[in-house]
Amino acid sequence: MTTQLGGPATRALPASDPEPANRRERGTSVAGLAVKIVLLGLLVSFAVWAAFPLAQDEHWVGLGILVAATALLLYAYLTPRHIPAKYLLPGTVFLVIFQLFPVLYTAGTAFTNFGDGHRGSKQDAVVAIQTASVTQVPGSTEYALSIATTGDPATGGLVFLITDPATKKVSAGDGSGLKQLPAGDVTVTSSGKVTAARGYTVLTVGQASARSKEITEFAVPTAGGAIRSTGLSRAYEGKAGRAYDAATDSIRDTTSGKTWKADDGIGSFVAADGEKLAQGWKVNVGFANFTRALTDDSIAGPFLGTLVWNFIFAICSTGFTFLLGMFIAVALHSSRVRFRNLYRVLLVLPYAMPSFAMLLVWRDMFNTDFGLINNLLGIHTNWFGGAMTARIAVILVQLWLGYPYMFLVCTGALQAIPGELVDATKVDGAGAWKGFRAVTLPLLMIALTPLLISSFAFNFNNFNAIWLTTEGAPFPADNLTNGATDLLITYTYRLAFGASGAQYGFAAAISIFIFLIVAVVSTISFRRTRQQEEVYS
Amino acid sequence: MRIRTAGVIAASLLCLVGVAACGDKKEDSTTAGPQASAATGELVIWADDKRSAALKPFAEKFGKENGVTVKVQAISKDQQTTFLTASQQGSGPDVMVGAHDWIGNLVQNGAIDPVQLTAEQKSGIAANAIKAVTFNGQTYGVPYATENLGLIRNTELAPAAPATIEDLVKEGKKLKAAKKVSEILCLQVGQNGDAYHSYPLYSSAGGYLFGTNAQGDYDPKDLGVGKPESIAAFKKLAALGEKGDGALKRSISDQNSIATFTGKKCAYLVSGPWAVTDVKKANLKYDITAVPGFAGGKTATPFLGVQTFYVAAKGKNKALAQEFVTNYVTTPDLAVALYNAEPRPPALTAALDQVKGSDPDLEKWVTAGENAVPLPAIPAMAAIWDPFGKAESAVIGGADPEKTITAAGKTISSQIK
Amino acid sequence: MTRWIKQVGWRHLVAVLGVVFALVPLLFVLSAALNPLGTLSSTELLPTGASAENFSRLLGRTGFPHWFLNSVVIAGLASAASVFLSALAAYAFSRRRFAGRRVGLLSLLLIQMFPQFLAVVAIFLMFSTITDLWPAFGFNTWWGMIFLYLGGALGVNTWLMKGFYDTIPKELDESAYVDGASHSQIFFRILLPLVSPILAVTGLLAFIGTINEFLIANVFLTEGDSKTLAVGLYGLIAGSRDTNFGMFCAGTLLTAIPTVGVFMYLQRYIVEGLSAGAVKG
């Protein structure tokens, strides 16, 4: 191979040899220097700009990270050492923030009971329980409400001016209780709204809504409970039916006297009779999600079958699209073909369409009675009804969606192969096919093997391909959770979100299992790329 | 060429960084805007695409009248999950618009607050709608529209309303034999079934989902799927399926059931008020009646769905949200506007009275929904949809009802904790 | 004649068959887009009517023009920046030998294998803070969206480009190095022009990937005018149960226009002889 390239095998460039003194001029062309200065200047000004809100909100940790990251970047580009880092850093910064962090965060949730009913903190749960239990005191009056303050609208103490609808009498309420106002001191509209009151500033809706949080939490104590607001123009006398008692760490129902004690192991308030309050909180559950995935029959049982099909799907999706894409690319890789550019545009069209839209269209085309495919072919196959036909159908859809991609990549790869290599085989008089096999294909494979691996990885987890077409169908009558075209990821998705709400923690645990499988397979195939790489190293 | 490529890339990168920097400066000055408006109050409302479009002018009017900013944002997919996740992280809206059967799940996640409606306001809203949004004794939102399934009939093909499913199938077969239609009935099943659309037939055949306890609330421990009644019901569905009469078919799905009806390929369509827009556009003569039940069976009860405005518990401006939901949504104007965007019967009696004169269909939908039962709002209902639908589709495709439903019952009960 | 068939004719045959396979479903979409009733139950492959109603409704009554602009700007900037970032990284992976090189490559692959549908929670967590601190990069902004997409820039594209760099003989840069060129001069002046076909391909792929991205954009862009084409179009059919497929199909077709435009523009970089000439020089 290397001899054909016309030169001896050479070593890679040294990574970090210190620049010799007599080569100082390396990398110091005026334009290059100017670009460097401008970019680094922008980086610094960006960092300064970003620092202000952090300092303002006293996010000292965030500020520290920002300073450290900026310093690191400046160091990397000002020192002559660490050349690879100069090329890797820009992308890595984004990768760490927007990909690595979400992945690690998700992996972290695998050890919690995070999901519906257990999303927030214990404090959140207590607030939710109390808020949900506030009911109107039976037979109490519904008042018209005006929000007022003593003094400045933005900072003065809040006062509720409430009007009894029957008597039109106005009372002022604050944290200490209610006090009736003399009729002469207030101006009341027919609907009961107070427009002016001596000694108080009546707020406009805009002013009041700026203090929304205070108003929602504001309660004027009364004998039967407390007067609370409903929005900004009505008030009612309400009473919380359930209260949290910090001393016993439990919730108590004020009317029935029943108590629910906090169980920090499962993140729920549990009564003596085993009844759980719906509002729970997020707690650490250790490896419970992992053991559940391994021991639950409905998950562990069909796992192997799904895994095998998952591999077949990923291999066929990648393999067929590659073969077809490459074949067409090779066919068009000749300047003697007229209309080449037109062909290329038309061939790229399937890829240019939004894939989720086309998946939905294909799903319709496979319809038994109304679908285009059965109509064109004059057959009556229930494509998604049988395991085999459904699998063929989804792979066919993948082929259609994916081959333009492979076509494009192969076209690019073919162009990048130095022309004289191909010419050389022609001079040698080798047959077209032989030349292709001996020169073009190996070079193509060098360029494309990494891509095929990552394409395989993508298809292994190709959620949309299944979810938007068959949704996993067909399902055997005695097992409605695992369909013939289900991939591990769609199956996980259904387990996690399809029933009794979202179970993020559990889904994350299964994702980690899937991840490990794909990672092992990819790592093994990745090792094989080393030999190809070494051809040139 | 070389320089050009490098130049293009360098320029685009510079552009990116440069514009980012300039953009920041510009945004810096404009951030004063949103912050200033936050000081006077901002209300964020989330709804699906269609409703957010209809809401926009009214929300803006509300904002102008009260000197606040109102933003209506559309969430296209997974509204409930997105709302829950966003709320939890503090990026959620102040008001959420959605179906009433979310309530159970929203409450257990502490995502919505109860609303206190006056007795007068409550009496102005259809009783079954108020019942639907009541959960654990609290009212959790303000209903603005109701919806239920009915039988839409092409009166040119089928002049008389069928009294029973058997009559419908007989008439449909006649029309099919006469080559006037190609399908007996358009009731969406799809590859993975559709529990919502099959429920009227299931209930008429004697099946139930959850039993009710002494207070009349659904009891998640009494699961009806997998019980003998449900097996008997599915045997009846199987008789209508692909191996039987062929009235129920998996090839009829949410994508094509309405279109098949408007294309005059079937005379009967089981669907809801949302289908009427298309039916009218196709210039069909039609009538709306209740979904018929099986001869000698129980009444077919469709589900009643109630579109609801919720106050988000973790919203930034709850007082204003409460004000909007309890005192503005309860006015007929908004309900009428939402009706104009999509013809579902308004839940506000005053709004219904206002529009029913110009739209005789509304009365028919309400009549068709007389026996409707509110969709169970308990969190356990989430476990029903998927297995129930798949079992339905399998049975209609010819699978053994007993085996299938027993499996479905097992799947569901294992999911209900 | 047989010679022509052997050398050129079969190429046309392959191309035509490929084009037919590509176009049949698209014709179907076109026919639905032109059908004013706009339903996909019409099984006719060829358009039965020619009405622009779906198109005019789409342009007049929805936020389509906004979506279009957003998509083009976001996808354009994000893909350009992403190609540049991954070209840089691929250079380091292909030409430099440093500790952690293969581990780095493998990690790039593995990170993107983690199921994305669970990442939404983390994204909310992160951007809630960002929106509070720097609203210019928060939810519903171009920059926030672009930066989020750049998180994936090193993924597939780096692998793709590294593969291509590997096919370029190393002695090219070696000799330049001996001549006194710095690493940045080798990269910008020698390597980048050589791989320009693949830069164009990668740019196109990144553009298509970004313009079609739906899952993340759906939760990130909620403000009506900030939506992208994919999110907006999905809203047309998901927002209500009456399926607006005609308009949806019309939108799908229009969405392909910027992509095809980018392809046409980049196609001149994907021309033969370019790299061959460079190697000779």
Side-chain angles (χ1 to χ4, degrees):
Chain A
M1 278 303 288
T2 42
T3 48
Q4 281 177 335
L5 289 167
T10 47
R11 69 193 163 85
L13 290 182
S16 56
D17 56 344
E19 304 277 305
N22 61 348
R23 291 248 181 89
R24 259 295 136 77
E25 70 276 16
R26 269 187 204 279
T28 49
S29 73
V30 180
L33 200 64
V35 169
K36 195 167 174 176
I37 291 170
V38 169
L39 286 176
L40 289 180
L42 282 171
L43 171 73
V44 172
S45 46
F46 180 77
V48 171
W49 171 81
F52 276 112
L54 281 173
Q56 210 168 9
D57 286 16
E58 304 183 348
H59 284 284
W60 304 124
V61 179
L63 194 62
I65 295 175
L66 180 73
V67 171
T70 314
L72 182 77
L73 284 170
L74 286 178
Y75 168 73
Y77 287 102
L78 290 175
T79 171
R81 302 167 60 91
H82 305 305
I83 292 168
K86 295 186 208 297
Y87 288 87
L88 290 172
L89 273 176
T92 313
V93 170
F94 287 107
L95 181 84
V96 168
I97 302 178
F98 296 117
Q99 290 241 285
L100 197 60
F101 170 73
V103 166
L104 292 180
Y105 180 82
T106 308
T109 61
F111 300 94
T112 67
N113 63 348
F114 186 33
D116 275 340
H118 299 275
R119 282 174 184 261
S121 64
K122 189 172 182 178
Q123 185 55 36
D124 289 342
V126 170
V127 170
I129 291 168
Q130 285 176 341
T131 319
S133 73
V134 176
T135 47
Q136 191 174 349
V137 173
S140 62
T141 322
E142 285 158 350
Y143 303 97
L145 169 73
S146 312
I147 314 269
T149 55
T150 50
D152 186 71
T155 54
L158 271 184
V159 178
F160 278 2
L161 300 177
I162 56 167
T163 314
D164 188 307
T167 62
K168 291 278 183 280
K169 279 190 180 140
V170 179
S171 308
D174 54 21
S176 61
L178 274 182
K179 146 183 108 178
Q180 203 168 26
L181 296 181
D185 282 0
V186 288
T187 322
V188 188
T189 66
S190 60
S191 67
K193 267 279 196 191
V194 177
T195 50
R198 188 190 303 255
Y200 300 105
T201 318
V202 178
L203 303 190
T204 63
V205 173
Q207 287 167 332
S209 97
R211 305 184 64 174
S212 176
K213 203 165 152 43
E214 293 166 73
I215 293 169
T216 316
E217 284 160 8
F218 199 72
V220 182
T222 58
I227 292 186
R228 293 163 206 270
S229 61
T230 296
L232 300 170
S233 53
R234 284 193 299 112
Y236 69 102
E237 192 175 358
K239 192 165 173 281
R242 282 173 185 171
Y244 176 69
D245 178 21
T248 57
D249 198 11
S250 58
I251 298 275
R252 187 168 177 278
D253 192 303
T254 48
T255 44
S256 71
K258 189 170 179 180
T259 55
W260 292 263
K261 203 161 165 29
D263 182 340
D264 286 309
I266 55 168
S268 294
F269 287 106
V270 191
D273 60 2
E275 188 203 351
K276 272 188 234 165
L277 288 180
Q279 297 95 335
W281 62 96
K282 188 169 132 182
V283 291
N284 210 320
V285 295
F287 284 92
N289 289 321
F290 294 91
T291 44
R292 180 180 158 200
L294 290 176
T295 51
D296 189 332
D297 277 348
S298 66
I299 296 160
F303 192 83
L304 190 68
T306 309
L307 182 68
V308 170
W309 155 243
N310 207 149
F311 271 105
I312 296 175
F313 173 79
I315 291 169
C316 289
S317 296
T318 310
F320 290 153
T321 50
F322 173 64
L323 288 178
L324 184 63
M326 182 181 68
F327 183 53
I328 300 179
V330 168
L332 286 181
H333 185 66
S334 158
S335 48
R336 294 175 62 188
V337 181
R338 293 179 66 195
F339 314 119
R340 209 150 45 120
N341 288 349
L342 178 67
Y343 282 138
R344 281 183 183 154
V345 172
L346 292 177
L347 283 165
V348 167
L349 276 179
Y351 201 65
M353 310 294 280
S355 64
F356 74 91
M358 292 317 292
L359 284 167
L360 292 174
V361 169
W362 271 99
R363 170 200 181 125
D364 248 58
M365 300 204 317
F366 277 114
N367 189 295
T368 318
D369 289 313
F370 311 100
L372 181 73
I373 293 173
N374 277 356
N375 270 29
L376 280 185
L377 301 177
I379 52 176
H380 199 80
T381 308
N382 187 353
W383 288 91
F384 293 166
M388 214 52 222
T389 48
R391 286 171 175 177
I392 292 172
V394 290
I395 289 178
L396 183 71
V397 175
Q398 280 307 295
L399 181 63
W400 186 84
L401 284 173
Y403 85 91
Y405 174 85
M406 292 295 181
F407 165 73
L408 272 179
V409 174
C410 290
T411 305
L414 288 171
Q415 313 297 354
I417 292 174
E420 65 264 37
L421 291 186
V422 185
D423 293 342
T425 58
K426 281 183 190 149
V427 176
D428 291 350
W433 170 240
K434 225 172 151 190
F436 174 77
R437 285 254 324 253
V439 180
T440 316
L441 190 61
L443 279 170
L444 262 186
M445 290 314 288
I446 292 173
L448 295 179
T449 306
L451 178 79
L452 291 179
I453 296 176
S454 62
S455 168
F456 169 85
F458 172 77
N459 278 315
F460 197 87
N461 277 338
N462 197 336
F463 179 76
N464 278 357
I466 300 299
W467 201 254
L468 296 180
T469 51
T470 63
E471 288 176 49
F475 290 83
D478 54 351
N479 179 3
L480 301 166
T481 54
N482 186 35
T485 54
D486 254 333
L487 300 181
L488 289 172
I489 192 165
T490 55
Y491 177 56
T492 313
Y493 186 83
R494 193 176 308 113
L495 280 175
F497 302 105
S500 32
Q503 307 176 50
Y504 292 101
F506 185 48
I510 299 186
S511 304
I512 288 178
F513 279 122
I514 299 178
F515 174 75
L516 289 177
I517 296 170
V518 198
V520 167
V521 173
S522 310
T523 311
I524 293 170
S525 30
F526 177 66
R527 292 186 69 85
R528 298 189 50 196
T529 65
R530 186 192 289 268
Q531 292 117 27
Q532 286 181 336
E533 233 180 19
E534 297 314 317
V535 171
Y536 292 105
S537 319
Chain B
M1 203 61 180
R2 296 173 191 178
I3 294 158
R4 196 149 157 213
T5 314
V8 164
I9 290 161
S12 57
L13 184 82
L14 266 179
C15 232
L16 175 76
V17 180
V19 177
C22 309
D24 305 341
K25 273 167 214 130
K26 197 183 70 197
E27 290 290 340
D28 238 2
S29 56
T30 50
T31 40
Q35 264 158 19
S37 71
T40 58
E42 183 184 271
L43 186 72
V44 180
I45 304 174
W46 278 9
D48 67 18
D49 290 82
K50 193 157 228 169
R51 264 168 278 275
S52 66
L55 264 174
K56 214 159 216 168
F58 283 83
E60 273 158 17
K61 193 168 141 237
F62 174 81
K64 226 172 253 162
E65 281 168 9
N66 295 298
V68 291
T69 324
V70 184
K71 280 186 179 169
V72 184
Q73 306 186 338
I75 308 294
S76 305
K77 193 171 170 271
D78 303 335
Q79 283 101 346
Q80 195 188 159
T81 346
T82 308
F83 169 58
L84 283 172
T85 315
S87 275
Q88 189 60 48
Q89 312 299 349
S91 305
D94 301 300
V95 172
M96 181 79 208
V97 184
H100 83 271
D101 59 315
W102 299 359
I103 290 177
N105 194 28
L106 296 185
V107 168
Q108 71 168 341
N109 285 308
I112 51 170
D113 274 355
V115 295
Q116 308 291 340
L117 295 175
T118 63
E120 192 189 343
Q121 284 174 325
K122 277 189 184 171
S123 65
I125 298 171
N128 53 5
I130 283 288
K131 194 178 156 219
V133 295
T134 307
F135 184 75
N136 288 345
Q138 286 279 27
T139 314
Y140 273 102
V142 173
Y144 74 86
T146 62
E147 60 191 34
N148 52 263
L149 292 177
L151 181 73
I152 307 176
R153 182 174 93 252
N154 184 332
T155 46
E156 276 169 7
L157 294 167
T164 61
I165 279 288
E166 284 81 357
D167 288 354
L168 186 155
V169 171
K170 210 169 89 191
E171 193 61 33
K173 278 185 171 165
K174 232 186 264 170
L175 287 166
K176 198 175 166 184
K179 296 262 185 271
K180 282 187 177 160
V181 296
S182 62
E183 307 299 329
I184 299 171
L185 167 67
C186 283
L187 186 153
Q188 66 191 57
V189 177
Q191 206 56 55
N192 291 316
D194 188 320
Y196 181 81
H197 282 81
S198 59
Y199 183 74
L201 298 183
Y202 174 73
S203 65
S204 168
Y208 69 98
L209 297 180
F210 293 111
T212 47
N213 61 16
Q215 289 97 49
D217 294 332
Y218 288 108
D219 177 10
K221 288 186 190 87
D222 179 11
L223 178 67
V225 184
K227 297 266 162 66
E229 294 96 320
S230 67
I231 292 166
F234 268 89
K235 281 187 177 147
K236 288 195 162 183
L237 286 182
L240 293 176
E242 289 169 22
K243 299 259 162 78
D245 290 321
L248 297 176
K249 291 165 108 175
R250 286 173 293 176
S251 60
I252 295 178
S253 71
D254 55 342
Q255 300 291 341
N256 58 30
S257 70
I258 296 172
T260 310
F261 178 76
T262 55
K264 297 184 189 173
K265 286 176 190 159
C266 62
Y268 303 100
L269 168 70
V270 173
S271 194
W274 53 88
V276 171
T277 322
D278 281 4
V279 174
K280 276 192 177 143
K281 219 163 72 180
N283 278 326
L284 288 183
K285 287 210 174 74
Y286 67 95
D287 193 17
I288 301 154
T289 51
V291 181
F294 288 99
K298 295 189 178 169
T299 327
T301 55
F303 279 130
L304 179 79
V306 178
Q307 295 294 325
T308 309
F309 280 83
Y310 297 110
V311 174
K314 295 191 174 77
K316 293 195 174 87
N317 202 341
K318 272 158 72 167
L320 194 58
Q322 286 273 4
E323 177 71 20
F324 179 80
V325 168
T326 55
N327 298 334
Y328 193 68
V329 174
T330 46
T331 55
D333 289 7
L334 180 63
V336 170
L338 287 167
Y339 155 79
N340 287 331
E342 203 174 22
R344 299 174 202 234
L348 272 179
T349 327
L352 181 64
D353 290 343
Q354 202 175 322
V355 290
K356 79 182 172 194
S358 60
D359 186 353
D361 289 349
L362 288 181
E363 199 87 54
K364 291 178 187 165
W365 283 117
V366 175
T367 316
E370 253 165 10
N371 296 310
V373 292
L375 267 165
I378 50 174
M381 187 62 195
I384 296 269
W385 297 112
D386 191 63
F388 188 98
K390 278 168 186 151
E392 179 214 349
S393 135
V395 166
I396 284 169
D400 176 48
E402 187 162 351
K403 206 168 103 189
T404 314
I405 301 310
T406 314
K410 252 189 221 148
T411 310
I412 296 168
S413 55
S414 75
Q415 296 287 353
I416 301 173
K417 281 164 277 180
Chain C
M1 188 64 198
T2 45
R3 196 181 153 80
W4 183 85
I5 287 171
K6 231 173 148 184
Q7 289 189 343
V8 185
W10 70 274
R11 297 176 189 271
H12 280 286
L13 184 70
V14 170
V16 167
L17 287 179
V19 167
V20 168
F21 181 47
L23 290 192
V24 165
L26 295 183
L27 203 56
F28 187 58
V29 173
L30 181 68
S31 129
L34 292 176
N35 180 351
L37 272 179
T39 59
L40 265 188
S41 79
S42 57
T43 47
E44 291 82 9
L45 179 60
L46 296 170
T48 43
S51 151
E53 197 195 318
N54 285 321
F55 289 91
S56 63
R57 276 206 304 158
L58 184 71
L59 294 172
R61 284 208 230 143
T62 66
F64 191 84
H66 277 290
W67 306 338
F68 200 88
L69 176 73
N70 292 334
S71 275
V72 170
V73 171
I74 292 176
L77 287 177
S79 54
S82 134
V83 168
F84 184 70
L85 292 183
S86 47
L88 286 175
Y91 170 72
F93 282 125
S94 170
R95 286 307 200 253
R96 295 275 156 182
R97 290 294 178 268
F98 54 95
R101 189 184 72 98
R102 286 187 68 85
V103 173
L105 262 180
L106 189 59
S107 317
L108 276 188
L109 180 67
L110 294 185
I111 285 175
Q112 38 155 348
M113 273 179 212
F114 206 81
Q116 282 292 309
F117 65 79
L118 291 165
V120 170
V121 178
I123 286 171
F124 263 110
L125 186 74
M126 200 158 43
F127 272 90
S128 295
T129 318
I130 294 181
T131 311
D132 285 345
L133 290 173
W134 306 287
F137 293 93
F139 285 116
N140 294 315
T141 62
W142 283 353
W143 292 112
M145 196 77 244
I146 290 171
F147 277 24
L148 191 51
Y149 284 145
L150 285 184
L154 287 195
V156 193
N157 292 342
T158 307
W159 275 69
L160 182 55
M161 275 194 254
K162 180 201 167 277
F164 283 96
Y165 284 131
D166 285 349
T167 60
I168 295 170
K170 284 229 164 74
E171 45 275 26
L172 270 179
D173 18 332
E174 295 254 317
S175 59
Y177 187 79
V178 171
D179 291 346
S182 70
H183 61 85
S184 62
Q185 282 165 339
I186 294 176
F187 174 70
F188 282 107
R189 300 267 175 82
I190 298 175
L191 279 178
L192 272 194
L194 273 181
V195 293
S196 63
I198 209 60
L199 285 183
V201 168
T202 321
L204 181 65
L205 295 178
F207 185 84
I208 292 173
T210 318
I211 210 166
N212 291 342
E213 199 284 327
F214 171 75
L215 271 184
I216 306 284
N218 177 47
V219 296
F220 196 88
L221 306 170
T222 50
E223 194 88 62
D225 287 348
S226 75
K227 286 178 189 281
T228 57
L229 283 169
V231 181
L233 283 181
Y234 195 89
L236 285 183
I237 50 164
S240 55
R241 266 177 277 199
D242 58 324
T243 45
N244 228 332
F245 246 100
M247 240 154 83
F248 177 74
C249 288
T252 304
L253 289 173
L254 292 180
T255 306
I257 290 177
T259 316
V260 173
V262 170
F263 179 70
M264 305 274 253
Y265 170 75
L266 290 177
Q267 208 181 24
R268 56 206 175 109
Y269 293 97
I270 318 176
V271 285
E272 265 165 295
L274 185 81
S275 51
V279 172
K280 274 169 197 151

